[in-house]
Amino acid sequence: MKDFIIPDRDMGTPAVHSDTIVSLTVDGIKVSVPAGTSVMRAAAEAGISVPKLCATDHVSAFGSCRLCVVAIDGMRGTPASCTTPVAEGMVVHTQTDDIARIRKGVMELYISDHPLDCLTCAANGDCELQDMAGAVGLREVRFDPGANHFMQREAGALNPEYRPKDQSNPYFTFDPAKCIVCSRCVRACEEVQGTFALTIEGRGFDSRVSAGMESDDFLSSDCVSCGACVQVCPTATLIENKVIEIGTPEHIVKTTCAYCGVGCSFDAHMRGEEVVRMVPSRDGKANRGHSCVKGRFAWGYTSHGDRQTQPMIRENIQDPWRVVGWDEALDFAASRLRQAQSDHGRDAIGVITSSRCTNEETYLVQKLARAVFGNNNTDTCARVCHSPTGYGLKTAFGTSAGTHDFDSVDDTDLALVIGANPTDGHPVFASRLRKRLRQGAGLIVLDPREIDLLSTPHMGEGLHLPLRPGTNVAVLTALAHVIVAEKLYDEEFIRSRCDWDEFMAYAEFLADPRHGPDEVEKLSKVPADLIRRAARAYALAPRASIYYGLGVTEHSQGSTTVMAIANLAMMCGNIGVPGTGVNPLRGQNNVQGSCDMGSFPHEYPGYRHVSDAATRTIYERVWGVPLSDEPGLRIPNMFDEALAGRFRGLYCQGEDIVQSDPDTSHVTSALAAMDIVIVHDLFLNETSNYAHVFLPGSSFLEKDGTFTNAERRINMVRRAVTPRNGHEDWEITQMLANRMGAGWNYAHPREIMAEIAMTTPSFSGVSYDLLDREGSVQWPCNADAPLGTPLMHVDGFVRGKGRFIHTEYVATEERTGARFPLLLTTGRILSQYNVGAQTRRTDNVVWHPEDVLEIHPSDAENRGLRDGDWVRVASRSGETTLRARITERVAPGVVYTTFHHPATQANVVTTDNSDWATNCPEFKVTAVQVSPSNGPSEWQEEYRHHSEIARRILPEAAE
Amino acid sequence: MSDPASKLIRMAGQMADFFRSQPDRPPAEAVAAHINDSWTYRMRADLIAALQAGAKADPIVRDAVAFITLPQDVPRGA
């Protein structure tokens, strides 16, 4: 299905929120708007378009172009409608003879310094300058050719004012010749993105848009390639290279980004079956019209040459792949799975669902395990990122999800950011947070590394608590200690919403000096005074919010940390009101959804335990088979069982466990011990090196479904392009299931969603019709909340009373010593995503061609390392080599790297330690030694060799 | 890397480390409940077998064994 949607209209200036409503008349039409609204926007509300060039509702009004002037009864002159606020009883005229003359004069001046190559211009048909010339009736330009910015040569000589195109950015081009210096791009960079990379240099006729210093181009500047400037540019000055290459799009498909957990809504601008550009939806409730470099530009992987579109099989993982038809591949897969079960028992096989696939696909994969395999061996990669969030928040509040929506950030007075790096991992949320920080909200960052959020321009002083990796619980408990000791808690909230006696017990627990800032300083290396200041700031802010990431969960005490966070929020009454809350920043696009859909081995959809007879009965009735009441294997347990010879077959959809899971050699030896590994993916990923069946997958552009983002928002994913592999992923799972006797006959993902709604109370109101109508809804969505639930726990916690859980710090077993004196922690970078399977296959590699190791200058000097040197990183698990970057962003004793590139394989080094409650791996703490190196490690050489052999594909036999 | 049984004991020990500081219920019962909720019966049986065979473990883990359940057809102990 294709959606033909006219993009919503630009109202000229941003919406204003006010309780006071003002009425005025525009061109004889009465209109009422909130006080503070501009005359321009009021006119737009009345359906009247005032000509404009510098104004757009993405950024605040600027009043520079003078095209939007109007006449207002009783006011002198012709005020700019974009900067003039409405007043009660105002009478506005947008079209008079005087105004027409002024506008025509303004346009004439603009056009006198603009090339008239409209027919061959990339913005032809999508140019506001062109539109405005038409709107004001400009018919001639009376000025003689003179000094200008657009002619390369004048009278044979080079034009000193001319500047060539800047094509340094791989995704868009900056052509100064077309620039009208409206400053929209500069303002978008500041107000929307918050990077402040662009500026106007010079004055008057010399004014030019500049990406930083004169020596800078867009690539070398601070620009993060978010696309906000391109989006607001009214001309062809900043324009997508794809539009230059292809031309104007002819229809739009509304969909959802397939990268991080922010879940931005996008308008896919299409020409036929070709994507021309992805533009963030202005009505997108998560992103409000903003985007980052990944969602906006990095979708080229969907048509990359590495994309596999045909099924393949092989007897052994040493053999080359043999391309076969779907029937042969599925028969091979199904019979091997059944064989493994008949040889080794019903529990010998399992599935891994994907946090990158849709809810509907995930639901089918877990159903395959439960209803067709007859066991509960289903897990998701959320295991290795946010499983402690699910467990921790369910225990404290009663729901395995974040409490607030992203809009809530606009109301926060202070954000406490823990173990997250939003400007890289969740860039669009970071931009929204930065906007609030510039408005004066406070910031506390708990992170071993000095993250970019701390250097947000024009914010006040942020507090950075650079704790030693692995001491989250100690520091958070110390914050609670200070809040209780200084009686900064919200007694009324605790008495009404929690159990007072339970709180008193926790207060008594906290009172022990071992939880005090002075003791905690010794193990966390965070100065006690800083802990006290942070505790006071969080407790005293009227509305304080907590945002956290994998730096919280990926620890041996991940679940305890989540509970400590919940305690802090509850004791300060920061729940149930906008601007507060406990908000996990989910890693992948559908982490929330994959958990909701019953991917975990112990829980059916909606987080109901497999031993719960009532729930089991529902599914036994709907699925028509008896179901197991025994919890299945988690991902790390699958590997252990595989090495023990009891787990023999795996269907892995859309995940690259070899690269993303810890202790790589443990993972690869487990996979190598299995009889049948089925990889269902876009590419021959690292895991496929150990697979016997490869089922080609479909990209997010090629299928219908839904993703659920970090705010529980269920967003539509819509098919814009025919699947290159011939089938949407849910169809492939259905074909495999039916080969094993399932008898499924879903014709469309909407039918799968209907089954989810029928069986899951928190989804009972969800349907594709509702989603098409509303754009998106946040679960719970049911009879009590027919349009979903933006804020949870408003009048009471889902579990009844909020629960205070004691949070004793237990040091991780991963300790530094003489052999491994440094602590390695891992993270990600803006331009790359997760294992990089997608982003490495786009031009994003210009920003991050390889993983590097960040190391403090003193640690580097002790080891004789210089910036850019090859270094060997070794842990108890393994070793790898990469280049060093010397920086003070990491504290002495701590080193940091990313895991985007398989050649580096940072996870060769990480260990099998895991969270006590959920087995979420302890990616964030590994004791390592770093030493000079002159080349790849032995493991890297071996792996490269196997990887080359395992990726061979036999040429198809000529007929 | 550690052998499978000691890995299970280590995981159970981590749970003991958490539940020993919780005031609301005896830690051994809480550890057992968490294991019953989230481990497969084979992992549970392996843990019981290892402890019965004399493997070293946190006393809470030892006490938890009494509360760890197994399906009826799975023998208790190796």
Side-chain angles (χ1 to χ4, degrees):
Chain A
M1 184 191 78
K2 284 185 174 162
D3 292 322
F4 297 89
I5 295 164
I6 301 165
D8 39 0
R9 211 154 52 102
D10 189 328
M11 307 294 279
T13 62
V16 173
H17 300 287
S18 171
D19 295 333
T20 313
I21 298 298
V22 172
S23 296
L24 67 159
T25 310
V26 184
D27 292 347
I29 298 170
K30 268 203 158 304
V31 60
S32 298
V33 293
T37 301
S38 69
V39 169
M40 175 182 277
R41 192 175 174 100
E45 297 281 357
I48 297 163
S49 296
V50 180
K52 60 183 174 59
L53 278 173
C54 72
T56 165
D57 59 12
H58 287 271
V59 293
S60 50
F62 191 55
S64 88
C65 76
R66 312 306 296 173
L67 203 62
C68 72
V69 293
V70 292
I72 298 173
D73 287 358
M75 273 177 89
R76 284 163 35 141
T78 48
S81 63
C82 64
T83 51
T84 306
V86 293
E88 186 60 40
M90 199 179 238
V91 178
V92 179
H93 309 280
T94 72
Q95 303 285 358
T96 68
D97 289 348
D98 275 351
I99 291 170
R101 215 164 22 248
I102 294 169
R103 288 184 185 150
K104 214 179 266 192
V106 168
M107 277 311 294
E108 198 174 352
L109 283 165
Y110 269 116
I111 298 304
S112 72
D113 193 7
H114 194 83
L116 297 178
D117 60 349
C118 296
L119 282 181
T120 53
C121 177
N124 188 9
D126 185 21
C127 172
E128 293 182 48
L129 190 67
Q130 201 175 42
D131 296 345
M132 289 306 114
V136 305
L138 183 71
R139 296 293 171 260
E140 59 172 346
V141 175
R142 292 165 296 166
F143 304 109
D144 289 333
N148 67 73
H149 296 90
F150 65 89
M151 289 172 73
Q152 195 166 359
R153 288 176 168 276
E154 269 181 319
L158 284 174
N159 175 3
E161 304 297 339
Y162 176 82
R163 301 286 183 278
K165 289 178 185 173
D166 178 346
Q167 294 174 312
S168 60
N169 185 294
Y171 297 119
F172 60 85
T173 295
F174 172 57
D175 183 359
K178 304 247 158 117
C179 181
I180 59 169
V181 205
C182 64
S183 291
R184 279 192 191 184
C185 53
V186 176
R187 288 178 287 145
C189 191
E190 294 175 4
E191 291 181 33
V192 180
Q193 166 57 29
T195 293
F196 292 73
L198 301 183
T199 187
I200 301 284
E201 63 170 38
R203 306 175 69 174
F205 190 69
D206 288 332
S207 305
R208 293 169 207 279
V209 170
S210 165
M213 308 289 284
E214 206 183 332
S215 55
D216 275 322
D217 56 23
F218 269 77
L219 191 64
S220 70
S221 74
D222 289 342
C223 168
V224 291
S225 200
C226 69
C229 56
V230 179
Q231 198 177 347
V232 294
C233 180
T235 68
T237 311
L238 283 158
I239 194 161
E240 296 92 346
N241 290 344
K242 275 282 176 188
V243 174
I244 298 175
E245 183 190 318
I246 299 172
T248 27
E250 42 78 24
H251 75 274
I252 288 173
V253 179
K254 288 221 169 235
T255 189
T256 303
C257 179
Y259 283 115
C260 80
V262 176
C264 296
S265 301
F266 272 90
D267 298 345
H269 288 213
M270 308 292 300
R271 194 185 67 176
E273 290 224 36
E274 187 174 26
V275 182
V276 179
R277 60 181 168 193
M278 296 288 281
V279 180
S281 310
R282 292 144 54 84
D283 56 359
K285 289 172 187 156
N287 55 321
R288 302 285 176 197
H290 192 39
S291 60
C292 80
V293 61
K294 294 188 284 279
R296 180 78 153 93
F297 295 118
W299 35 268
Y301 70 87
T302 57
S303 52
H304 191 274
D306 286 353
R307 179 90 186 265
Q308 298 297 329
T309 55
Q310 301 188 80
M312 297 185 286
I313 60 172
R314 59 183 169 194
E315 280 297 318
N316 298 300
I317 59 169
Q318 313 296 342
D319 298 340
W321 286 107
R322 193 158 62 81
V323 174
V324 294
W326 282 98
D327 283 339
E328 189 176 348
L330 292 163
D331 284 339
F332 181 86
S335 63
R336 277 221 178 179
L337 286 170
R338 283 299 188 211
Q339 190 63 46
Q341 281 190 306
S342 70
D343 291 350
H344 302 278
R346 194 180 63 180
D347 298 327
I349 60 174
V351 300
I352 296 179
T353 74
S354 177
S355 295
R356 295 183 204 167
C357 286
T358 64
N359 285 317
E360 293 75 5
E361 287 158 354
T362 305
Y363 178 86
L364 285 197
V365 175
Q366 61 91 31
K367 178 174 175 179
L368 173 69
R370 302 192 201 279
V372 183
F373 295 178
N375 59 41
N376 288 313
N377 290 334
T378 167
D379 206 1
T380 166
C381 66
R383 170 70 49 214
V384 303
C385 69
H386 263 293
S387 50
T389 291
Y391 180 78
L393 295 184
K394 188 174 188 181
T395 311
F397 300 155
T399 311
S400 298
T403 58
H404 282 53
D405 59 0
F406 287 135
D407 281 349
S408 157
V409 77
D410 297 342
D411 293 308
T412 198
D413 296 306
L414 178 134
L416 168 55
V417 178
I418 312 171
N421 185 10
T423 52
D424 287 69
H426 304 87
V428 169
F429 164 72
S431 289
R432 300 189 65 178
L433 175 57
R434 279 180 149 174
K435 189 171 195 169
R436 188 64 190 153
L437 296 177
R438 291 195 303 275
Q439 291 166 350
L443 174 69
I444 304 170
V445 171
L446 245 78
D447 201 289
R449 206 162 151 266
E450 190 179 326
I451 59 172
D452 283 349
L453 201 58
L454 285 157
S455 45
T456 294
H458 304 298
M459 71 163 199
E461 191 197 358
L463 288 180
H464 180 207
L465 279 58
L467 76 184
R468 213 168 144 68
T471 60
N472 284 331
V473 170
V475 175
L476 288 165
T477 305
L479 292 176
H481 170 98
V482 174
I483 289 167
V484 169
E486 302 189 4
K487 297 212 180 327
L488 303 175
Y489 48 82
D490 183 343
E491 183 169 339
E492 193 189 321
F493 182 92
I494 300 168
R495 282 190 185 276
S496 63
R497 303 286 302 275
C498 310
D499 183 319
W500 181 254
D501 290 340
E502 199 179 76
F503 172 70
M504 290 315 287
Y506 186 49
E508 199 177 310
F509 165 86
L510 291 172
D512 190 284
R514 73 179 185 279
H515 301 305
D518 298 303
E519 285 304 311
V520 169
E521 174 176 347
K522 291 177 195 158
L523 38 111
S524 68
K525 305 278 192 280
V526 182
D529 181 51
L530 211 48
I531 294 177
R532 289 193 185 93
R533 281 169 61 200
R536 289 169 196 146
Y538 177 78
L540 294 173
R543 293 179 173 204
S545 51
I546 299 177
Y547 294 91
Y548 72 87
L550 304 182
V552 160
T553 53
E554 290 175 347
H555 286 282
S556 62
Q557 279 200 289
S559 292
T560 316
T561 313
V562 173
M563 294 168 187
I565 287 170
N567 288 346
L568 270 188
M570 285 189 295
M571 72 172 62
C572 295
N574 280 325
I575 290 286
V577 212
T580 66
V582 173
N583 306 287
L585 297 169
R586 303 286 184 149
Q588 304 199 52
N589 51 329
N590 202 32
V591 171
Q592 181 69 54
S594 73
C595 300
D596 301 341
M597 291 299 106
S599 293
F600 287 144
H602 64 301
E603 284 172 338
Y604 287 116
Y607 305 98
R608 293 163 294 170
H609 200 271
V610 290
S611 64
D612 175 40
T615 308
R616 209 169 53 247
T617 309
I618 294 173
Y619 285 102
E620 286 182 338
R621 216 160 46 218
V622 174
W623 294 347
V625 287
L627 297 171
S628 165
D629 61 352
E630 275 291 331
L633 293 165
R634 300 164 170 182
I635 293 174
N637 311 145
M638 288 180 187
F639 300 145
D640 294 340
E641 290 283 302
L643 287 169
R646 300 194 295 211
F647 187 70
R648 312 295 292 225
L650 177 67
Y651 169 42
C652 181
Q653 185 186 60
E655 288 301 331
D656 196 355
I657 48 179
V658 167
Q659 199 182 337
S660 62
D661 283 35
D663 197 358
T664 312
S665 58
H666 181 62
V667 177
T668 53
S669 32
L671 289 172
M674 289 191 210
D675 301 334
I676 170 75
V677 174
I678 304 161
V679 165
H680 179 171
D681 205 282
L682 299 179
F683 305 105
L684 282 174
N685 61 18
E686 305 312 308
T687 309
S688 73
N689 292 341
Y690 298 85
H692 309 86
V693 177
F694 180 84
L695 302 175
S698 52
S699 79
F700 78 111
L701 292 171
E702 300 161 10
K703 59 196 180 188
D704 288 312
T706 57
F707 292 152
T708 307
N709 77 354
E711 22 157 43
R712 296 169 277 107
R713 185 182 300 287
I714 307 163
N715 274 313
M716 290 295 282
V717 179
R718 292 191 180 88
R719 177 161 159 169
V721 179
T722 306
R724 285 185 161 76
N725 56 327
H727 298 283
E728 299 185 19
D729 289 330
W730 62 271
E731 295 178 89
I732 295 167
T733 305
Q734 172 161 286
M735 290 191 290
L736 177 63
N738 286 344
R739 285 290 190 298
M740 299 180 75
W744 297 349
N745 51 7
Y746 301 102
H748 189 272
R750 66 168 61 239
E751 298 171 6
I752 306 173
M753 181 51 88
E755 183 174 313
I756 295 164
M758 180 172 67
T759 54
T760 313
S762 49
F763 277 71
S764 62
V766 181
S767 70
Y768 276 31
D769 288 341
L770 178 76
L771 292 168
D772 280 336
R773 208 163 52 237
E774 295 298 319
S776 65
V777 291
Q778 288 167 273
W779 67 258
C781 175
N782 47 29
D784 294 338
L787 294 181
T789 312
L791 253 64
M792 293 202 75
H793 319 296
V794 172
D795 299 316
F797 286 101
V798 169
R799 72 181 297 278
K801 296 271 185 192
R803 190 167 158 215
F804 285 100
I805 299 150
H806 292 202
T807 51
E808 189 71 61
Y809 167 69
V810 179
T812 167
E813 289 174 24
E814 186 66 13
R815 282 173 210 166
T816 53
R819 270 179 73 212
F820 303 108
L822 302 172
L823 283 184
L824 168 73
T825 188
T826 60
R828 56 180 85 186
I829 200 161
L830 169 67
S831 57
Q832 298 290 339
Y833 177 71
N834 201 267
V835 294
Q838 293 138 294
T839 45
R840 276 185 285 110
R841 292 182 173 95
T842 68
D843 287 328
N844 277 23
V845 289
V846 303
W847 287 282
H848 185 74
E850 60 182 335
D851 296 321
V852 296
L853 184 82
E854 290 187 1
I855 183 166
H856 190 271
S858 66
D859 291 325
E861 195 177 319
N862 290 341
R863 290 164 177 76
L865 302 176
R866 285 159 312 176
D867 201 58
D869 278 358
W870 279 103
V871 295
R872 168 179 169 274
V873 182
S875 75
R876 292 176 183 93
S877 288
E879 60 180 69
T880 189
T881 53
L882 67 174
R883 286 184 195 278
R885 176 183 294 150
I886 298 175
T887 170
E888 291 183 13
R889 291 183 79 155
V890 288
V894 177
V895 290
Y896 169 88
T897 190
T898 48
F899 59 100
H900 301 305
H901 290 268
T904 327
Q905 276 288 17
N907 283 325
V908 172
V909 181
T910 53
T911 68
D912 67 351
N913 282 352
S914 66
D915 173 47
W916 67 266
T918 66
N919 279 148
C920 178
E922 189 168 46
F923 283 115
K924 299 294 183 180
V925 191
T926 311
V928 295
Q929 177 58 295
V930 174
S931 51
S933 160
N934 43 20
S937 71
E938 198 179 317
W939 192 91
Q940 279 168 305
E941 289 290 0
E942 269 174 34
Y943 185 81
R944 194 177 54 78
H945 179 67
H946 172 69
S947 183
E948 276 169 18
I949 290 197
R951 280 202 172 94
R952 287 171 306 160
I953 301 174
L954 281 182
E956 284 178 77
E959 291 293 325
Chain B
M1 206 189 309
S2 46
D3 69 276
S6 57
K7 197 164 173 177
L8 294 175
I9 292 171
R10 194 174 88 201
M11 280 155 54
Q14 283 181 287
M15 294 176 202
D17 281 338
F18 174 80
F19 286 111
R20 84 171 81 247
S21 64
Q22 301 306 315
D24 54 336
R25 66 197 290 200
E29 285 176 35
V31 168
H34 193 74
I35 287 175
N36 288 334
D37 271 355
S38 48
W39 284 13
T40 62
Y41 71 87
R42 277 177 171 168
M43 292 164 68
R44 305 197 304 267
D46 286 354
L47 177 74
I48 295 171
L51 292 174
Q52 286 178 350
K56 276 193 190 155
D58 189 298
I60 294 175
V61 174
R62 304 201 136 277
D63 294 346
V65 168
F67 305 101
I68 294 176
T69 56
L70 288 177
Q72 281 174 352
D73 54 342
V74 177
R76 217 177 164 83

